[in-house]
Amino acid sequence: MEKRDNSISGMCDPAIGEAGRTGDWRDVRPVIDHTKCIPSVKNKPACFLCWLYCPEGVVKGSIPVEIDLDYCKGCGICAEECPAKAISMVREDKIDE
Ligand code: SF4
Ligand code: SF4
């Protein structure tokens, strides 16, 4: 069988953190409300659109869904695509750690 060339495919596999660790310049971060997130609510693998659309490949398609904030760039695509509106983009200076 002919080998697939990922470099010309619209379905290329994302490399986690291809653009490197984010550092401290990110202004906003995604925060998941697991009471709304479909896999957590249904307790089964479903949706995962955030995993699919994240350009950094840093969303883990697990239950619960996890985001690797060391590499997340805060672009907000995951929040835009989430059909359950389960992801909020929260300003970094409003996060209590
Ligand atoms: S904010 Fe952007 S980089 Fe971060 S998890 Fe969402 S889609 Fe990925
Ligand atoms: S897109 Fe939203 S509902 Fe779907 S898995 Fe991600 S956070 Fe959960």
Side-chain angles (χ1 to χ4, degrees):
M1 194 171 80
E2 207 171 301
K3 193 172 181 302
R4 188 178 67 164
D5 181 353
N6 279 340
S7 66
I8 58 169
S9 168
M11 291 296 288
C12 61
D13 300 322
I16 294 173
E18 193 161 351
R21 292 175 80 92
T22 303
D24 60 3
W25 56 261
R26 187 181 56 219
D27 289 331
V28 289
R29 70 167 65 177
V31 175
I32 301 174
D33 181 345
H34 294 287
T35 68
K36 294 181 182 173
C37 176
I38 293 167
S40 289
V41 170
K42 294 184 179 290
N43 194 30
K44 63 181 183 186
C47 185
F48 294 139
L49 288 179
C50 48
W51 165 84
L52 181 66
Y53 282 105
C54 174
E56 291 293 310
V58 298
V59 179
K60 194 170 171 191
S62 55
I63 304 172
V65 172
E66 294 172 9
I67 295 173
D68 187 340
L69 292 170
D70 286 345
Y71 293 95
C72 165
K73 300 296 181 285
C75 66
I77 292 173
C78 53
E80 283 294 318
E81 296 297 334
C82 176
K85 302 289 176 221
I87 302 178
S88 303
M89 299 307 293
V90 179
R91 278 176 44 181
E92 291 288 348
D93 60 5
K94 299 289 182 195
I95 299 283
D96 295 322
E97 284 187 313

